[in-house]
Amino acid sequence: MPMTTEFHWPVRVYYEDTDAGGVVYHANYLRFMERARTEWLRSLGHEQDVLRAEGVIFIVRSAALEYIQPARFNDLLDVSVNIREYRGASVAIKQTIKNEKTGETLCEGNIRIACIDAETLRPRPIPKHLFSELSHVG
């Protein structure tokens, strides 16, 4: 089921995020997206350490990124989380990173998150209380 509500999280580009060319190193866009997903869960009232204690871990099952424009040192970025689809044990998320100042889209990602059991590392259903919240996000 597609969702419509976006969550936004600001990220500042630090010197350590850049490569020798002075632009954000490609793998760091994944880090920025991870931070936004963590803050999105937190905004819903769910801390990942608490979920883990309950036996639930979310992992990235797949990630496809398109790099459009480079981000540079000291840029302020807007990283969005937009739920596209949820299933019993997974969530498809579209994430976009934009330059806060110019509004330009810098990177887009399609991420699929899987819910697994913390002990067995096997797929498990998303907990009912969280699944219920996901179904009402849009």
Side-chain angles (χ1 to χ4, degrees):
M1 174 179 291
M3 301 284 102
T4 57
T5 302
E6 282 188 342
F7 174 83
H8 295 268
W9 187 254
V11 173
R12 175 74 64 186
V13 175
Y14 297 124
Y15 185 74
E16 66 190 27
D17 298 321
T18 62
D19 62 15
V23 299
V24 171
Y25 180 67
H26 70 278
N28 287 333
Y29 291 92
L30 287 167
R31 292 175 190 248
F32 301 157
M33 290 178 180
E34 178 74 28
R35 291 177 198 168
R37 290 192 308 274
T38 297
E39 295 300 336
W40 165 71
L41 269 177
R42 183 173 284 135
S43 77
L44 294 175
H46 301 284
E47 296 288 345
Q48 290 194 48
D49 56 345
V50 173
L51 289 170
R52 182 180 175 90
E54 296 172 356
V56 177
I57 297 174
F58 288 99
I59 61 164
V60 174
R61 184 173 182 277
S62 65
L65 273 62
E66 182 177 353
Y67 303 99
I68 301 163
Q69 293 286 330
R72 292 176 166 73
F73 171 69
N74 217 22
D75 282 351
L76 181 60
L77 309 177
D78 174 71
V79 185
S80 67
V81 177
N82 189 348
I83 305 302
R84 294 297 196 184
E85 174 186 57
Y86 58 91
R87 296 182 183 169
S90 69
V91 181
I93 301 170
K94 170 137 186 183
Q95 292 194 259
T96 304
I97 299 176
K98 292 185 176 185
N99 181 302
E100 180 75 22
K101 184 177 180 181
T102 67
E104 287 183 292
T105 298
L106 307 178
C107 182
E108 293 181 331
N110 289 300
I111 315 293
R112 180 163 293 278
I113 305 298
C115 183
I116 64 171
D117 184 276
E119 207 169 294
T120 66
L121 301 181
R122 304 283 301 156
R124 64 162 285 172
I126 296 170
K128 289 182 183 179
H129 66 283
L130 183 53
F131 193 86
S132 174
E133 287 180 36
L134 291 176
S135 66
H136 294 95
V137 170

